[in-house]
Protein backbone atom coordinates (compact mmCIF):
# COMPACT_ATOMS: atom_id res chain seq x y z
CA UNK A 1 0.00 0.00 0.00
CA UNK A 2 1.58 3.29 -1.09
CA UNK A 3 -1.07 5.80 0.04
CA UNK A 4 -0.50 7.56 3.37
CA UNK A 5 -2.84 6.19 6.04
CA UNK A 6 -6.12 8.12 6.33
CA UNK A 7 -5.76 8.37 10.10
CA UNK A 8 -2.51 8.69 12.06
CA UNK A 9 -2.37 8.19 15.84
CA UNK A 10 0.70 9.05 17.88
CA UNK A 11 0.65 7.97 21.53
CA UNK A 12 3.10 9.35 24.10
CA UNK A 13 3.59 6.85 26.91
CA UNK A 14 6.06 5.36 29.37
CA UNK A 15 4.89 1.93 28.16
CA UNK A 16 5.00 1.90 24.33
CA UNK A 17 5.03 -1.91 24.38
CA UNK A 18 1.37 -1.80 25.49
CA UNK A 19 0.51 -0.68 21.92
CA UNK A 20 -1.15 -1.58 19.58
CA UNK A 21 -2.46 -4.09 22.15
CA UNK A 22 -5.92 -5.29 21.23
CA UNK A 23 -5.98 -2.90 18.27
CA UNK A 24 -3.59 -5.27 16.49
CA UNK A 25 -6.41 -7.84 16.31
CA UNK A 26 -9.67 -8.29 14.44
CA UNK A 27 -11.04 -5.49 12.25
CA UNK A 28 -8.76 -2.75 13.65
CA UNK A 29 -5.69 -4.96 13.18
CA UNK A 30 -6.63 -5.85 9.62
CA UNK A 31 -7.32 -2.19 8.80
CA UNK A 32 -3.88 -1.34 10.19
CA UNK A 33 -2.28 -4.05 8.03
CA UNK A 34 -4.08 -2.62 5.01
CA UNK A 35 -2.60 0.80 5.85
CA UNK A 36 -5.97 2.47 6.58
CA UNK A 37 -4.69 3.78 9.88
CA UNK A 38 -1.30 3.93 11.59
CA UNK A 39 -0.21 3.96 15.21
CA UNK A 40 3.10 5.21 16.53
CA UNK A 41 3.84 4.68 20.25
CA UNK A 42 6.56 7.04 21.46
CA UNK A 43 8.56 6.54 24.67
CA UNK A 44 8.36 9.72 26.79
CA UNK A 45 11.53 8.68 28.64
CA UNK A 46 13.55 9.16 25.42
CA UNK A 47 13.06 12.91 25.93
CA UNK A 48 14.59 13.01 29.42
CA UNK A 49 17.99 14.64 29.38
CA UNK A 50 19.60 13.67 32.68
CA UNK A 51 21.75 10.64 33.31
CA UNK A 52 18.96 8.75 35.06
CA UNK A 53 16.37 9.55 32.36
CA UNK A 54 14.08 11.06 34.97
CA UNK A 55 10.48 11.65 33.85
CA UNK A 56 8.76 12.43 37.15
CA UNK A 57 9.30 14.30 40.40
CA UNK A 58 7.59 14.81 43.75
CA UNK A 59 4.46 17.02 43.87
CA UNK A 60 4.99 20.67 44.70
CA UNK A 61 3.22 21.35 47.99
CA UNK A 62 3.72 17.77 49.16
CA UNK A 63 1.53 14.71 49.11
CA UNK A 64 1.67 11.18 47.79
CA UNK A 65 2.94 9.98 44.43
CA UNK A 66 4.87 11.52 41.59
CA UNK A 67 4.07 14.00 38.81
CA UNK A 68 5.23 13.83 35.17
CA UNK A 69 7.69 16.65 34.50
CA UNK A 70 6.54 19.41 32.12
CA UNK A 71 9.88 19.90 30.35
CA UNK A 72 10.28 16.25 29.36
CA UNK A 73 6.66 15.89 28.25
CA UNK A 74 6.73 19.16 26.27
CA UNK A 75 9.85 18.03 24.41
CA UNK A 76 8.12 14.78 23.50
CA UNK A 77 4.96 16.62 22.36
CA UNK A 78 6.90 19.19 20.34
CA UNK A 79 8.95 16.53 18.62
CA UNK A 80 5.97 14.48 17.47
CA UNK A 81 3.78 17.47 16.61
CA UNK A 82 6.13 19.54 14.51
CA UNK A 83 3.89 21.34 11.94
CA UNK A 84 1.05 19.14 13.08
CA UNK A 85 -2.60 20.16 13.32
CA UNK A 86 -3.86 16.93 14.88
CA UNK A 87 -5.80 17.40 18.16
CA UNK A 88 -3.68 16.75 21.25
CA UNK A 89 -5.54 14.73 23.86
CA UNK A 90 -4.50 14.02 27.43
CA UNK A 91 -6.11 11.01 29.06
CA UNK A 92 -7.40 12.24 32.40
CA UNK A 93 -10.19 11.35 34.86
CA UNK A 94 -10.74 15.12 35.21
CA UNK A 95 -11.35 15.47 31.48
CA UNK A 96 -14.55 15.88 29.52
CA UNK A 97 -16.24 12.46 29.30
CA UNK A 98 -15.75 10.92 25.84
CA UNK A 99 -18.92 10.79 23.72
CA UNK A 100 -19.75 9.14 20.41
CA UNK A 101 -20.14 12.68 19.01
CA UNK A 102 -16.53 13.55 19.89
CA UNK A 103 -15.41 10.17 18.55
CA UNK A 104 -17.07 10.98 15.20
CA UNK A 105 -15.38 14.39 15.06
CA UNK A 106 -11.98 12.85 15.80
CA UNK A 107 -12.51 10.09 13.23
CA UNK A 108 -13.28 12.72 10.58
CA UNK A 109 -9.87 14.35 11.13
CA UNK A 110 -6.37 13.37 10.04
CA UNK A 111 -5.45 11.75 13.35
CA UNK A 112 -4.72 12.37 17.03
CA UNK A 113 -1.84 12.78 19.41
CA UNK A 114 -2.63 11.14 22.75
CA UNK A 115 -0.65 11.70 25.97
CA UNK A 116 -0.95 8.95 28.59
CA UNK A 117 -0.57 10.07 32.19
CA UNK A 118 0.89 7.91 34.97
CA UNK A 119 1.39 8.29 38.72
CA UNK A 120 -0.58 11.28 40.08
CA UNK A 121 -0.80 12.90 36.65
CA UNK A 122 1.08 15.56 34.70
CA UNK A 123 2.29 19.06 35.62
CA UNK A 124 -0.56 21.54 34.94
CA UNK A 125 1.73 23.94 33.07
CA UNK A 126 2.31 21.56 30.17
CA UNK A 127 -1.46 20.98 29.88
CA UNK A 128 -1.96 24.75 29.58
CA UNK A 129 1.08 25.58 27.45
CA UNK A 130 0.53 22.81 24.89
CA UNK A 131 -3.27 23.15 24.98
CA UNK A 132 -3.94 19.52 25.79
CA UNK A 133 -7.61 18.52 25.61
CA UNK A 134 -8.31 16.45 28.72
CA UNK A 135 -10.50 13.45 27.91
CA UNK A 136 -11.97 10.98 30.41
CA UNK A 137 -13.32 7.54 29.56
CA UNK A 138 -15.51 7.41 32.67
CA UNK A 139 -15.92 8.29 36.31
CA UNK A 140 -13.36 5.91 37.79
CA UNK A 141 -9.59 6.07 38.17
CA UNK A 142 -7.18 3.90 36.17
CA UNK A 143 -3.51 3.47 37.05
CA UNK A 144 -2.40 4.90 33.71
CA UNK A 145 -3.66 6.51 30.52
CA UNK A 146 -2.73 3.58 28.26
CA UNK A 147 -5.98 1.58 28.51
CA UNK A 148 -7.89 4.85 28.12
CA UNK A 149 -5.91 5.72 24.95
CA UNK A 150 -6.59 2.24 23.55
CA UNK A 151 -10.28 2.74 24.31
CA UNK A 152 -10.43 6.14 22.58
CA UNK A 153 -8.59 4.76 19.53
CA UNK A 154 -10.81 1.66 19.40
CA UNK A 155 -13.91 3.85 19.26
CA UNK A 156 -12.36 5.99 16.49
CA UNK A 157 -10.86 3.26 14.33
CA UNK A 158 -13.99 1.10 14.12
CA UNK A 159 -15.88 3.94 12.41
CA UNK A 160 -13.15 4.91 9.93
CA UNK A 161 -14.41 4.36 6.37
CA UNK A 162 -14.00 0.75 5.28
CA UNK A 163 -12.90 -0.64 8.66
CA UNK A 164 -16.12 -2.31 9.76
CA UNK A 165 -17.14 -5.17 7.50
CA UNK A 166 -20.58 -3.69 6.94
CA UNK A 167 -20.47 0.11 7.01
CA UNK A 168 -24.21 0.29 7.63
CA UNK A 169 -24.03 -1.60 10.91
CA UNK A 170 -22.98 1.60 12.68
CA UNK A 171 -26.08 3.59 11.87
CA UNK A 172 -28.54 2.26 14.47
CA UNK A 173 -26.00 1.79 17.20
CA UNK A 174 -26.25 2.94 20.76
CA UNK A 175 -25.82 6.74 21.12
CA UNK A 176 -26.01 7.39 17.36
CA UNK A 177 -29.62 8.58 17.45
CA UNK A 178 -29.48 9.70 21.07
CA UNK A 179 -30.81 6.27 22.08
CA UNK A 180 -29.44 2.96 23.31
CA UNK A 181 -29.72 0.19 20.75
CA UNK A 182 -32.61 -2.29 20.62
CA UNK A 183 -32.00 -5.92 21.76
CA UNK A 184 -30.63 -8.50 19.32
CA UNK A 185 -31.65 -12.11 18.69
CA UNK A 186 -30.42 -14.90 16.45
CA UNK A 187 -31.18 -18.59 15.87
CA UNK A 188 -32.27 -20.96 17.33
CA UNK A 189 -35.89 -19.79 17.19
CA UNK A 190 -36.51 -21.28 20.63
CA UNK A 191 -33.82 -21.55 23.32
CA UNK A 192 -34.39 -22.72 26.91
CA UNK A 193 -38.08 -22.11 26.45
CA UNK A 194 -37.55 -18.54 25.25
CA UNK A 195 -38.72 -17.51 21.77
CA UNK A 196 -37.42 -14.82 19.46
CA UNK A 197 -40.07 -12.03 19.52
CA UNK A 198 -42.54 -12.98 16.75
CA UNK A 199 -42.37 -9.60 15.04
CA UNK A 200 -38.70 -10.16 14.16
CA UNK A 201 -39.51 -13.28 12.14
CA UNK A 202 -42.69 -11.80 10.59
CA UNK A 203 -40.94 -10.44 7.51
CA UNK A 204 -42.83 -7.16 8.02
CA UNK A 205 -40.03 -4.61 7.89
CA UNK A 206 -42.21 -1.67 8.86
CA UNK A 207 -43.36 -3.52 11.97
CA UNK A 208 -39.78 -4.59 12.76
CA UNK A 209 -38.47 -1.01 12.53
CA UNK A 210 -41.31 0.20 14.75
CA UNK A 211 -40.67 -2.53 17.35
CA UNK A 212 -36.93 -1.81 17.41
CA UNK A 213 -37.52 1.90 17.84
CA UNK A 214 -39.97 1.27 20.70
CA UNK A 215 -37.51 -1.07 22.40
CA UNK A 216 -34.71 1.47 22.02
CA UNK A 217 -36.82 4.22 23.61
CA UNK A 218 -37.96 1.89 26.44
CA UNK A 219 -34.39 0.77 27.22
CA UNK A 220 -33.11 4.32 27.11
CA UNK A 221 -35.88 5.54 29.43
CA UNK A 222 -35.13 2.74 31.91
CA UNK A 223 -31.34 2.86 31.85
CA UNK A 224 -30.23 6.26 30.61
CA UNK A 225 -33.00 8.84 31.00
CA UNK A 226 -30.26 11.49 30.84
CA UNK A 227 -29.85 10.72 27.10
CA UNK A 228 -33.53 11.50 26.43
CA UNK A 229 -33.19 14.87 28.14
CA UNK A 230 -30.42 15.95 25.76
N1 LIG B 1 -4.48 11.72 40.63
C1 LIG B 1 -5.28 11.73 39.46
C2 LIG B 1 -5.42 10.30 38.87
C3 LIG B 1 -4.16 9.80 38.26
S1 LIG B 1 -4.41 8.23 37.51
C4 LIG B 1 -6.66 12.27 39.80
O1 LIG B 1 -7.13 12.03 40.91
O2 LIG B 1 -7.29 12.91 38.95
C5 LIG B 1 -3.01 8.12 36.44
C6 LIG B 1 -3.28 8.39 34.97
O3 LIG B 1 -4.23 7.45 34.49
C7 LIG B 1 -3.88 9.74 34.65
O4 LIG B 1 -2.88 10.73 34.51
C8 LIG B 1 -4.59 9.47 33.34
O5 LIG B 1 -3.71 9.59 32.23
C9 LIG B 1 -5.02 8.03 33.46
N2 LIG B 1 -6.43 7.88 33.82
C10 LIG B 1 -6.91 7.43 35.00
N3 LIG B 1 -8.25 7.40 35.01
C11 LIG B 1 -8.66 7.81 33.79
C12 LIG B 1 -9.94 7.99 33.18
N4 LIG B 1 -11.08 7.74 33.83
N5 LIG B 1 -9.98 8.43 31.90
C13 LIG B 1 -8.83 8.71 31.23
N6 LIG B 1 -7.60 8.55 31.75
C14 LIG B 1 -7.50 8.11 33.02
Amino acid sequence: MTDAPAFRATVLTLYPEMFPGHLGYSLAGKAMERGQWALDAVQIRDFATDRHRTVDDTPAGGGAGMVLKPDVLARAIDTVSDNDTRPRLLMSPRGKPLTQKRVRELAAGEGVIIVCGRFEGVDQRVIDARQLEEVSIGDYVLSGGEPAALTVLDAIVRILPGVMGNDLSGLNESFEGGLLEHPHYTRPQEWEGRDIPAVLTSGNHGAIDKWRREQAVKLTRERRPDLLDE
Side-chain angles (χ1 to χ4, degrees), residues 185 189 195-215:
Y185 297 87
Q189 169 63 37
D195 284 316
I196 295 177
V199 61
L200 295 180
T201 48
S202 67
N204 180 342
H205 292 289
I208 293 171
D209 286 348
K210 181 162 170 284
W211 181 86
R212 286 182 168 164
R213 169 102 196 150
E214 286 164 1
Q215 293 294 313

Side-chain angles (χ1 to χ4, degrees), residues 16-26 28-29 32 37 39 150:
E17 58 281 8
M18 289 187 185
F19 296 86
H22 76 278
L23 297 178
Y25 295 86
S26 190
M32 185 186 257
W37 74 289
L39 172 60
L150 286 165

Side-chain angles (χ1 to χ4, degrees), residues 79-160:
T79 303
V80 303
S81 61
D82 187 31
N83 279 325
D84 201 316
T85 56
R86 289 177 292 169
R88 292 187 285 262
L89 313 187
L90 170 65
M91 297 299 99
S92 163
R94 298 183 320 192
K96 210 167 164 188
L98 186 69
T99 60
Q100 189 66 16
K101 178 166 173 281
R102 185 70 187 123
V103 168
R104 283 220 166 269
E105 289 166 5
L106 291 168
E110 53 182 328
V112 277
I113 295 171
I114 303 184
V115 178
C116 299
R118 274 272 153 185
F119 323 120
E120 288 312 310
V122 313
D123 187 300
Q124 182 62 39
R125 291 169 294 177
V126 71
I127 303 177
D128 298 337
R130 294 300 180 270
Q131 292 161 348
L132 303 182
E133 173 188 339
E134 292 183 70
V135 172
S136 167
I137 63 159
D139 291 345
Y140 39 79
V141 181
L142 305 169
S143 50
E146 289 78 11
L150 286 165
T151 298
V152 173
L153 289 173
D154 185 318
I156 293 172
V157 168
R158 68 189 288 281
I159 61 168
L160 293 176

